Amino acid sequence: MDLKQLKFLIALDETRHFGQAAARCHITQPTLSMRLRSLEEELDLPLVNRGQRFEGFTAPGERVLAWARTVMAAHDGLLAEAAACRGNLVGTLRMGVVPLSSFNPQPLLQRLHAEHPNLRFELSSLSSEQILEQLASNRLDLGVSYLERLDGEHFDSLPLEPTHMGLLYDQRHFSFGEQPLSWEALIELPLGLLTSGMHFRQSIDHNFHIRGLQPQPVLQTDAVHQLVQMVHGGLCCAVMPLDSSLETLTEHLRLHPIEDAQTLARLGLIMRRSAPTSALAQACFALYQQSFSGY
């Protein structure tokens, strides 16, 4: 067994196609199939369901795949740790961010890239549960998620600025004055909202509920980009993070402040405490504390 075989297994999972996995790994498809069969023989387990095309992994294959990801993450972490000991940062910083986070990672990542040009970044939009799970399993280095009920024994965190909310609208279809909007005024508007299972929606519902208001949204969706598209088309307005920069997506979108509008839970930058620790995450934590944190 070698690391390349594990890399091939992960590539097959990500592409779900033998040919595409081989192309990603810069080898031929017969070579990929041969190396995976060799891995199966060594482990004495069938890992891949084969037919005319890739048909998924067997149950043992799924378990081996999880270990393969852990091993490759540890390998990458080892290289990053060695480089950090030499005063350099290399590899890929893997960051998961909850949908509609008001945290803009661009300044932080730009600063890191300027100081360490060989550093690469991988951003994923994930739920708070997925972020904690993938941090714990070493599939993420950093997370931006809500701090409520965070297990401080297993994770370190840095609180981010409070998330204030505003109303996203298209100025070709709606117009508001200079004063912040009240929640009572929002009830009179055609609203598009995220589905009730999403954390940001829970904060919206709470603000309506404590005022005895019951919104009747014209649209509900779990996809942020679809909601923004509907706002741009004039179908609705949407409550969004005030500092999300969503209004910059087109020349017609605007974000208007809402009175006393803040999410229930604070967002934070999160890193796991357990080994193997991530040198990339630690460097990012330190830089944020030095240059960006006011808390």
Side-chain angles (χ1 to χ4, degrees):
M1 185 189 305
D2 59 41
L3 291 176
K4 285 186 177 180
Q5 287 171 300
L6 303 184
K7 181 180 177 182
F8 298 160
L9 198 67
I10 294 170
L12 183 58
D13 177 52
E14 293 178 346
T15 61
R16 317 299 288 184
H17 190 278
F18 286 105
Q20 292 177 15
R24 174 180 292 192
C25 297
H26 307 291
I27 58 174
T28 64
Q29 183 171 331
T31 299
L32 178 85
S33 297
M34 179 187 69
R35 296 301 303 276
L36 291 181
R37 287 192 184 278
S38 176
L39 180 62
E40 289 176 318
E41 291 172 3
E42 182 172 349
L43 296 175
D44 194 23
L45 286 172
L47 304 178
V48 180
N49 291 317
R50 296 175 174 84
Q52 293 292 332
R53 57 182 63 87
F54 174 73
E55 296 180 357
F57 292 93
T58 63
E62 292 286 356
R63 296 174 67 174
V64 170
L65 178 64
W67 277 104
R69 290 190 179 279
T70 299
V71 170
M72 291 306 300
H75 172 261
D76 294 343
L78 186 153
L79 296 179
E81 187 73 30
C85 291
R86 299 192 302 269
N88 299 314
L89 289 181
V90 299
T92 300
L93 177 70
R94 303 160 300 170
M95 178 184 289
V97 182
V98 291
L100 290 182
S101 165
S102 59
F103 173 70
N104 179 7
Q106 182 177 339
L108 180 60
L109 300 189
Q110 280 184 327
R111 178 76 174 271
L112 279 168
H113 191 257
E115 295 182 7
H116 307 280
N118 292 322
L119 193 59
R120 299 293 179 264
F121 307 98
E122 184 178 295
L123 295 177
S124 302
S125 178
L126 302 167
S127 68
S128 54
E129 293 81 7
Q130 289 173 320
I131 288 173
L132 295 181
E133 176 190 351
Q134 293 191 27
L135 282 171
S137 60
N138 198 20
R139 287 180 286 165
L140 287 177
D141 300 298
L142 280 177
V144 175
S145 185
Y146 298 98
L147 296 179
E148 62 176 1
R149 298 189 296 273
L150 183 70
D151 184 354
E153 182 179 348
H154 296 98
F155 299 99
D156 286 320
S157 64
L158 292 173
L160 303 176
E161 294 186 18
T163 301
H164 298 279
M165 295 185 281
L167 187 73
L168 185 71
Y169 68 96
D170 190 301
Q171 64 175 348
R172 295 171 299 178
H173 306 281
F174 299 93
S175 178
F176 304 103
E178 295 183 0
Q179 296 300 315
L181 292 166
S182 67
W183 287 94
E184 288 77 9
L186 299 187
I187 287 291
E188 306 300 323
L189 298 171
L191 290 178
L193 298 177
L194 296 172
T195 50
S196 57
M198 301 185 73
H199 204 291
F200 193 79
R201 169 66 185 272
Q202 294 170 16
S203 293
I204 296 173
D205 287 346
H206 173 76
N207 276 282
F208 279 124
H209 178 73
I210 61 175
R211 294 168 174 84
L213 303 172
Q214 184 65 44
Q216 299 294 328
V218 67
L219 169 74
Q220 297 188 72
T221 177
D222 61 358
V224 175
H225 73 279
Q226 289 182 343
L227 185 52
V228 173
Q229 285 178 338
M230 295 303 175
V231 171
H232 184 254
L235 176 67
C236 58
C237 305
V239 180
M240 295 289 195
L242 191 59
D243 298 322
S244 61
S245 299
L246 287 170
E247 75 275 17
T248 65
L249 293 176
T250 78
E251 60 179 318
H252 302 297
L253 290 178
R254 298 290 184 272
L255 260 170
H256 197 93
I258 301 171
E259 290 179 352
D260 301 321
Q262 191 168 305
T263 55
L264 290 171
R266 190 81 168 265
L267 284 171
L269 196 63
I270 303 172
M271 174 179 66
R272 71 176 173 278
R273 283 186 171 181
S274 58
T277 56
S278 167
L280 303 184
Q282 290 173 333
C284 195
F285 243 53
L287 179 59
Y288 182 81
Q289 285 180 302
Q290 294 167 6
S291 306
F292 298 95
S293 177
Y295 299 88

